Amino acid sequence: MPPTKRRVDQARLREGILAQADATIAWLGELTHDDWLRRSALPGWTVAALAAHHAEILRGIAPAMADPTGEAPQPVDAYLSDVVAASTTVQERETAAGTHAPEQLLATLRVERDAAAAALATTPWPVAVRAPRGPLRTADFLAYRAVELAVHTDDLARSLPDRPPPRIESAAARIAATALADLLAARAPGRSVELRVPPYVAVQCVAGPRHTRGTPPNVVEADPPTWLRLATGRLAWTDAVRTGQVRASGERSDLSAHLPLLG
């Protein structure tokens, strides 16, 4: 049985996207010119290229919100598989954009943030939009914009460990943790394992004996930053378990066959 679609909280989606954009832009504004040129924790990317990618994430919101569709939206799993296939093209585009001066990149980020805010303030939201690779539920489209903002802000933090990290805003962290947990439940349907990402979400997944009462026999628990890194391939399952970043109990609790969800 596929997971039930969660109720769309438009105010929370709007808050998560804009609060994370504001926090990241403010942090980038404090960097030195040399910081912008440094290699990032994401192989092949500089800090400037990651900043350019943040602008691209925000840039996609207004056109999509202005282009509703009555077509049946794709399952988010299928849509995201296509997005992953295009990752090399994305990297090439953002690497080129990352050659611009930091002041220009910051100005672009602020313009795109304001355009996204204006689009998100328009009501009612369409049920589905024409996303770059096909029709998608508006809630799914925006949730994965929040996922990208949160994950790439964490990439920035890991890229400059000698600086105080940018904040991952709680609203964005909740959206990202929940969206990725739901994606795991869609890709590995079942009720034999309970994934917990406190304080935001818990889902049941993985085929096997169904748990109905008491403490589940197979439990995986991680904090939100760890879960985001696992789900997006920034952290290997074996390393997370070995270092205690993930607590896994039960003979079916090994999720390594299902991770990462996004590359």
Side-chain angles (χ1 to χ4, degrees):
M1 180 184 296
T4 301
K5 288 290 185 184
R6 297 181 188 273
R7 185 179 67 85
V8 177
D9 188 327
Q10 295 187 3
R12 181 169 287 169
L13 278 170
R14 185 184 304 112
E15 177 191 357
I17 290 169
L18 298 180
Q20 191 57 61
D22 289 341
T24 306
I25 291 169
W27 183 83
L28 287 167
E30 298 296 321
L31 299 186
T32 67
H33 187 270
D34 287 344
D35 288 335
W36 285 78
L37 299 178
R38 285 168 65 173
R39 293 181 180 178
S40 79
L42 203 60
W45 295 68
T46 62
V47 168
L50 278 175
H53 190 46
H54 275 77
E56 191 64 28
I57 294 165
L58 294 167
R59 181 178 293 117
I61 292 174
M65 296 295 283
D67 194 13
T69 178
E71 295 179 56
Q74 300 175 66
V76 70
D77 181 20
Y79 182 86
L80 290 172
S81 296
D82 193 27
V83 168
V84 171
S87 59
T88 300
T89 301
V90 171
Q91 181 178 347
E92 291 172 350
R93 180 188 63 212
E94 314 310 20
T95 297
T99 61
H100 297 156
E103 296 78 10
Q104 183 178 351
L105 287 169
L106 282 169
T108 300
L109 275 162
R110 294 181 181 117
V111 167
E112 299 303 345
R113 182 268 179 210
D114 289 347
L120 294 172
T122 302
T123 55
W125 285 0
V127 174
V129 296
R130 296 182 193 276
R133 294 170 182 83
L136 195 63
R137 281 202 329 151
T138 303
D140 290 332
F141 171 76
L142 293 175
Y144 277 91
R145 294 282 150 163
V147 169
E148 288 190 276
L149 289 172
V151 168
H152 290 306
T153 296
D154 182 58
D155 289 335
L156 287 168
R158 294 185 300 113
S159 301
L160 298 173
D162 50 327
R163 282 190 164 272
R167 290 194 314 276
I168 306 296
E169 295 291 334
S170 60
R174 179 186 294 274
I175 294 165
T178 301
L180 292 169
D182 286 346
L183 182 58
L184 173 64
R187 289 189 175 172
R191 295 183 181 274
S192 69
V193 178
E194 183 164 288
L195 168 69
R196 299 172 179 171
V197 188
Y200 298 137
V201 65
V203 297
Q204 292 187 344
C205 56
V206 182
R210 178 175 179 172
H211 165 70
T212 56
R213 299 180 63 184
T215 302
N218 303 286
V219 176
V220 174
E221 185 169 318
D223 61 30
T226 298
W227 170 234
L228 265 59
R229 292 173 186 176
L230 277 172
T232 58
R234 272 68 172 170
L235 177 63
W237 173 264
T238 52
D239 292 337
V241 172
R242 177 178 52 81
T243 58
Q245 296 174 78
V246 164
R247 295 161 294 285
S249 61
E251 62 180 15
R252 294 177 177 270
S253 63
D254 186 343
L255 296 180
S256 59
H258 308 291
L259 298 173
L261 300 169
L262 303 176

Coordinates of all heavy atoms in Angstrom, one line a residue, residues 141-203:
F141 N 6.5 19.7 -5.5 CA 7.5 20.6 -6.2 C 8.1 21.5 -5.1 O 9.4 21.6 -5.1 CB 6.8 21.4 -7.2 CG 7.7 22.5 -7.8 CD1 8.7 22.1 -8.7 CD2 7.5 23.8 -7.5 CE1 9.5 23.1 -9.3 CE2 8.3 24.8 -8.0 CZ 9.3 24.5 -8.9
L142 N 7.3 22.1 -4.3 CA 7.9 23.0 -3.3 C 8.6 22.3 -2.2 O 9.6 22.8 -1.7 CB 6.7 23.9 -2.7 CG 6.1 24.9 -3.8 CD1 4.9 25.6 -3.1 CD2 7.1 25.9 -4.3
A143 N 8.1 21.2 -1.8 CA 8.8 20.4 -0.7 C 10.3 20.1 -1.1 O 11.2 20.2 -0.4 CB 8.1 19.2 -0.4
Y144 N 10.4 19.7 -2.4 CA 11.8 19.4 -2.8 C 12.6 20.6 -3.1 O 13.9 20.5 -3.1 CB 11.7 18.4 -4.0 CG 11.6 17.0 -3.4 CD1 10.3 16.5 -3.2 CD2 12.7 16.3 -2.9 CE1 10.1 15.2 -2.6 CE2 12.5 15.1 -2.3 CZ 11.2 14.5 -2.1 OH 11.1 13.3 -1.5
R145 N 12.0 21.8 -3.3 CA 12.8 23.0 -3.3 C 13.4 23.2 -1.9 O 14.5 23.6 -1.7 CB 12.0 24.2 -3.8 CG 11.5 24.1 -5.2 CD 12.6 24.5 -6.2 NE 12.5 23.8 -7.5 CZ 13.1 24.2 -8.6 NH1 13.9 25.2 -8.6 NH2 12.9 23.5 -9.7
A146 N 12.5 23.0 -0.9 CA 13.0 23.1 0.5 C 14.1 22.1 0.8 O 15.1 22.4 1.5 CB 11.8 23.0 1.4
V147 N 13.9 20.9 0.3 CA 14.9 19.8 0.5 C 16.3 20.3 -0.1 O 17.3 20.3 0.6 CB 14.5 18.5 -0.2 CG1 15.7 17.5 -0.2 CG2 13.4 17.9 0.5
E148 N 16.3 20.8 -1.3 CA 17.5 21.3 -1.9 C 18.1 22.4 -1.1 O 19.4 22.4 -0.9 CB 17.2 21.7 -3.4 CG 16.9 20.6 -4.3 CD 16.9 21.1 -5.7 OE1 15.9 21.6 -6.2 OE2 18.0 21.0 -6.4
L149 N 17.3 23.4 -0.7 CA 17.9 24.5 0.0 C 18.6 24.0 1.3 O 19.7 24.4 1.7 CB 16.8 25.5 0.3 CG 16.3 26.3 -0.8 CD1 15.1 27.1 -0.4 CD2 17.4 27.2 -1.4
A150 N 17.9 23.1 2.1 CA 18.4 22.6 3.3 C 19.7 21.8 3.1 O 20.7 22.0 3.8 CB 17.4 21.8 4.1
V151 N 19.7 20.9 2.1 CA 20.8 20.0 1.9 C 22.0 20.8 1.4 O 23.1 20.6 1.9 CB 20.4 18.9 0.9 CG1 21.7 18.2 0.4 CG2 19.4 18.0 1.5
H152 N 21.8 21.8 0.5 CA 22.9 22.5 0.0 C 23.4 23.5 1.0 O 24.6 23.9 0.9 CB 22.6 23.1 -1.4 CG 22.5 22.1 -2.5 ND1 23.5 21.2 -2.7 CD2 21.5 21.9 -3.3 CE1 23.1 20.4 -3.7 NE2 21.9 20.8 -4.1
T153 N 22.6 24.0 1.9 CA 23.1 24.8 3.0 C 24.0 24.0 3.9 O 25.0 24.5 4.3 CB 21.9 25.5 3.8 OG1 21.2 26.3 2.9 CG2 22.4 26.2 5.0
D154 N 23.6 22.8 4.1 CA 24.5 21.9 4.9 C 25.8 21.6 4.1 O 26.9 21.6 4.7 CB 23.8 20.6 5.2 CG 24.6 19.6 6.0 OD1 25.0 20.0 7.2 OD2 24.9 18.5 5.6
D155 N 25.7 21.5 2.8 CA 27.0 21.4 2.0 C 27.9 22.6 2.2 O 29.1 22.5 2.3 CB 26.6 21.3 0.5 CG 26.0 19.9 0.2 OD1 26.2 18.9 0.9 OD2 25.3 19.9 -0.9
L156 N 27.3 23.8 2.3 CA 28.1 25.0 2.5 C 28.7 25.0 3.9 O 29.9 25.3 4.0 CB 27.2 26.2 2.4 CG 26.8 26.6 0.9 CD1 25.7 27.7 1.0 CD2 28.0 27.1 0.1
A157 N 28.0 24.5 4.9 CA 28.5 24.4 6.2 C 29.7 23.5 6.3 O 30.7 23.8 6.9 CB 27.4 24.0 7.2
R158 N 29.6 22.4 5.6 CA 30.7 21.4 5.6 C 31.9 21.9 4.8 O 33.0 21.4 5.0 CB 30.2 20.0 5.1 CG 29.1 19.4 6.0 CD 28.8 18.0 5.5 NE 28.2 18.0 4.2 CZ 28.7 17.4 3.1 NH1 29.9 16.8 3.2 NH2 28.1 17.5 1.9
S159 N 31.6 22.8 3.9 CA 32.7 23.3 3.0 C 33.6 24.3 3.7 O 34.8 24.4 3.4 CB 32.1 24.0 1.8 OG 31.2 23.1 1.1
L160 N 33.1 25.0 4.7 CA 33.9 26.0 5.5 C 33.8 25.6 7.0 O 33.2 26.4 7.7 CB 33.3 27.4 5.2 CG 33.4 27.8 3.7 CD1 32.7 29.2 3.6 CD2 34.8 27.9 3.2
P161 N 34.4 24.5 7.4 CA 34.3 24.1 8.8 C 34.9 25.1 9.8 O 34.7 25.0 11.0 CB 35.0 22.7 8.8 CG 35.9 22.8 7.6 CD 35.2 23.6 6.6
D162 N 35.8 26.0 9.3 CA 36.4 26.9 10.2 C 35.6 28.1 10.4 O 36.0 29.0 11.2 CB 37.8 27.4 9.5 CG 37.6 27.8 8.1 OD1 36.8 27.3 7.4 OD2 38.4 28.7 7.7
R163 N 34.4 28.2 9.8 CA 33.5 29.3 10.1 C 32.2 28.8 10.8 O 31.8 27.6 10.7 CB 33.0 29.9 8.7 CG 34.0 30.8 8.1 CD 33.4 31.6 6.9 NE 34.2 32.7 6.5 CZ 34.1 33.9 7.0 NH1 33.2 34.1 8.0 NH2 34.8 34.9 6.6
P164 N 31.6 29.7 11.6 CA 30.3 29.3 12.2 C 29.3 28.9 11.0 O 29.3 29.6 10.0 CB 29.8 30.5 12.9 CG 31.1 31.3 13.1 CD 32.0 31.0 12.0
P165 N 28.6 27.8 11.2 CA 27.8 27.3 10.1 C 26.5 28.1 9.8 O 26.0 28.7 10.8 CB 27.4 25.9 10.5 CG 27.5 25.9 12.0 CD 28.6 26.9 12.4
P166 N 26.0 28.1 8.6 CA 24.7 28.7 8.4 C 23.6 27.9 9.1 O 23.8 26.7 9.3 CB 24.6 28.6 6.9 CG 25.4 27.5 6.5 CD 26.6 27.5 7.4
R167 N 22.6 28.5 9.5 CA 21.5 27.8 10.2 C 20.7 27.0 9.2 O 20.4 27.5 8.1 CB 20.5 28.8 10.9 CG 21.1 29.5 12.1 CD 19.9 30.2 12.8 NE 19.0 30.9 12.0 CZ 19.1 32.1 11.6 NH1 20.2 32.8 11.9 NH2 18.2 32.7 10.8
I168 N 20.3 25.8 9.6 CA 19.3 25.1 8.9 C 18.0 25.4 9.7 O 17.8 25.0 10.8 CB 19.5 23.5 8.9 CG1 20.9 23.2 8.3 CG2 18.5 22.8 8.1 CD1 21.1 23.6 6.9
E169 N 17.1 26.2 9.1 CA 15.9 26.6 9.8 C 15.0 25.4 10.1 O 14.9 24.5 9.2 CB 15.2 27.7 8.9 CG 16.0 28.9 8.7 CD 16.1 29.8 9.9 OE1 15.2 29.6 10.8 OE2 17.1 30.5 10.1
S170 N 14.4 25.5 11.2 CA 13.6 24.3 11.6 C 12.4 24.0 10.7 O 12.1 22.8 10.4 CB 13.0 24.6 13.0 OG 12.2 25.7 13.1
A171 N 11.8 25.0 10.1 CA 10.7 24.8 9.1 C 11.3 24.1 7.9 O 10.6 23.1 7.4 CB 10.1 26.1 8.7
A172 N 12.4 24.5 7.4 CA 13.0 23.8 6.3 C 13.5 22.4 6.6 O 13.3 21.4 5.8 CB 14.2 24.6 5.7
A173 N 14.1 22.2 7.8 CA 14.5 20.9 8.2 C 13.3 19.9 8.4 O 13.4 18.8 8.0 CB 15.3 21.0 9.6
R174 N 12.2 20.4 8.9 CA 11.0 19.5 9.0 C 10.5 19.1 7.6 O 10.2 17.9 7.4 CB 9.9 20.3 9.7 CG 8.6 19.5 9.9 CD 7.5 20.3 10.5 NE 7.8 20.7 11.9 CZ 7.6 19.9 12.9 NH1 7.0 18.7 12.8 NH2 7.9 20.3 14.1
I175 N 10.4 20.0 6.7 CA 9.9 19.7 5.4 C 10.9 18.7 4.7 O 10.5 17.7 4.1 CB 9.8 21.0 4.5 CG1 8.8 21.9 5.0 CG2 9.5 20.6 3.0 CD1 8.8 23.3 4.5
A176 N 12.2 18.9 4.8 CA 13.2 18.1 4.1 C 13.2 16.7 4.8 O 13.2 15.7 4.0 CB 14.6 18.7 4.2
A177 N 13.2 16.6 6.1 CA 13.2 15.3 6.8 C 12.0 14.5 6.4 O 12.1 13.3 6.2 CB 13.4 15.5 8.3
T178 N 10.8 15.2 6.4 CA 9.6 14.5 6.1 C 9.5 14.0 4.7 O 9.1 12.9 4.4 CB 8.4 15.4 6.5 OG1 8.5 15.8 7.9 CG2 7.1 14.7 6.2
A179 N 9.9 14.9 3.8 CA 9.8 14.5 2.3 C 10.7 13.4 2.0 O 10.3 12.4 1.3 CB 10.2 15.7 1.5
L180 N 11.9 13.3 2.6 CA 12.8 12.2 2.3 C 12.4 10.9 3.0 O 12.6 9.9 2.5 CB 14.2 12.6 2.7 CG 14.8 13.7 1.8 CD1 16.1 14.3 2.5 CD2 15.1 13.2 0.4
A181 N 11.8 11.1 4.2 CA 11.3 9.9 4.9 C 10.1 9.3 4.1 O 10.0 8.0 3.9 CB 10.8 10.2 6.3
D182 N 9.2 10.1 3.6 CA 8.1 9.7 2.8 C 8.6 9.0 1.5 O 8.1 8.0 1.0 CB 7.2 10.8 2.4 CG 6.3 11.2 3.6 OD1 6.3 10.4 4.6 OD2 5.7 12.3 3.6
L183 N 9.7 9.6 0.9 CA 10.3 9.0 -0.3 C 10.8 7.6 0.0 O 10.7 6.6 -0.8 CB 11.4 9.9 -0.8 CG 12.1 9.4 -2.1 CD1 11.1 9.3 -3.3 CD2 13.2 10.4 -2.5
L184 N 11.5 7.4 1.1 CA 12.0 6.1 1.5 C 10.8 5.1 1.6 O 10.8 4.0 1.1 CB 12.7 6.1 2.8 CG 13.1 4.8 3.4 CD1 14.1 4.0 2.5 CD2 13.7 4.9 4.8
A185 N 9.7 5.5 2.3 CA 8.5 4.7 2.4 C 7.9 4.3 1.1 O 7.4 3.2 0.9 CB 7.5 5.4 3.3
A186 N 8.0 5.2 0.1 CA 7.5 5.0 -1.2 C 8.3 4.0 -2.0 O 7.9 3.1 -2.7 CB 7.3 6.3 -2.0
R187 N 9.6 4.1 -1.8 CA 10.6 3.2 -2.5 C 10.8 1.9 -1.9 O 11.1 0.9 -2.5 CB 11.9 3.9 -2.7 CG 11.9 5.1 -3.7 CD 13.2 5.6 -3.9 NE 13.2 6.7 -5.0 CZ 14.2 7.4 -5.3 NH1 15.4 7.3 -4.7 NH2 14.1 8.4 -6.2
A188 N 10.6 1.8 -0.6 CA 10.7 0.6 0.2 C 9.5 0.3 1.0 O 9.5 0.4 2.2 CB 12.0 0.6 1.1
P189 N 8.3 0.1 0.3 CA 7.1 0.0 1.1 C 7.0 -1.2 2.0 O 7.6 -2.3 1.7 CB 6.0 -0.1 -0.1 CG 6.8 -0.6 -1.2 CD 8.2 -0.1 -1.1
G190 N 6.3 -1.0 3.1 CA 6.2 -2.1 4.1 C 6.0 -1.5 5.5 O 6.0 -0.3 5.6
R191 N 6.0 -2.5 6.4 CA 5.8 -2.0 7.8 C 6.7 -2.8 8.8 O 6.3 -2.9 10.0 CB 4.3 -2.2 8.2 CG 3.3 -1.3 7.4 CD 1.9 -1.4 7.9 NE 1.0 -0.6 7.1 CZ 0.8 0.7 7.3 NH1 1.4 1.3 8.3 NH2 -0.1 1.4 6.6
S192 N 7.8 -3.2 8.3 CA 8.6 -4.0 9.2 C 9.7 -3.2 9.9 O 10.3 -3.6 10.9 CB 9.3 -5.2 8.5 OG 10.3 -4.7 7.6
V193 N 10.0 -2.0 9.4 CA 11.0 -1.1 10.0 C 10.3 0.3 10.3 O 9.5 0.8 9.4 CB 12.2 -0.9 9.1 CG1 13.2 0.1 9.7 CG2 12.8 -2.2 8.8
E194 N 10.7 0.9 11.4 CA 10.2 2.2 11.7 C 11.4 3.2 11.6 O 12.4 3.0 12.4 CB 9.5 2.3 13.0 CG 9.0 3.7 13.3 CD 8.0 3.7 14.5 OE1 6.8 3.2 14.3 OE2 8.3 4.2 15.6
L195 N 11.4 4.1 10.7 CA 12.4 5.2 10.7 C 11.9 6.4 11.5 O 10.8 6.9 11.3 CB 12.6 5.6 9.2 CG 13.5 6.9 9.1 CD1 14.9 6.6 9.5 CD2 13.4 7.4 7.6
R196 N 12.7 6.8 12.4 CA 12.4 7.9 13.3 C 13.4 9.1 13.1 O 14.6 8.8 13.2 CB 12.4 7.5 14.7 CG 11.3 6.5 15.1 CD 11.5 6.0 16.5 NE 10.5 5.0 16.9 CZ 10.6 4.3 18.0 NH1 11.6 4.4 18.9 NH2 9.7 3.3 18.2
V197 N 12.9 10.2 12.8 CA 13.8 11.4 12.7 C 13.2 12.5 13.6 O 12.5 13.4 13.2 CB 13.8 12.0 11.2 CG1 14.9 13.1 11.1 CG2 14.2 10.8 10.2
P198 N 13.4 12.3 14.9 CA 12.8 13.3 15.9 C 13.5 14.6 15.8 O 14.7 14.8 15.4 CB 13.2 12.6 17.2 CG 14.4 11.8 17.0 CD 14.3 11.3 15.5
P199 N 12.7 15.7 16.0 CA 11.3 15.7 16.4 C 10.3 15.8 15.3 O 9.1 16.1 15.5 CB 11.2 16.9 17.3 CG 12.1 17.9 16.5 CD 13.2 17.1 16.0
Y200 N 10.7 15.4 14.0 CA 9.9 15.8 12.9 C 9.0 14.7 12.3 O 7.9 15.0 11.9 CB 10.8 16.3 11.8 CG 11.5 17.6 12.2 CD1 12.9 17.7 11.8 CD2 10.9 18.6 12.9 CE1 13.6 18.9 12.2 CE2 11.6 19.8 13.2 CZ 12.9 19.9 12.9 OH 13.6 21.0 13.2
V201 N 9.5 13.5 12.2 CA 8.7 12.5 11.5 C 9.1 11.1 11.9 O 10.2 10.8 12.3 CB 9.0 12.7 9.9 CG1 10.4 12.4 9.6 CG2 8.0 11.9 9.1
A202 N 8.2 10.2 11.7 CA 8.4 8.7 11.8 C 7.6 8.0 10.7 O 6.4 8.4 10.5 CB 8.0 8.2 13.2
V203 N 8.2 7.1 10.0 CA 7.5 6.4 9.0 C 7.8 4.9 9.1 O 8.8 4.5 9.6 CB 7.8 6.8 7.5 CG1 7.4 8.3 7.3 CG2 9.3 6.6 7.2

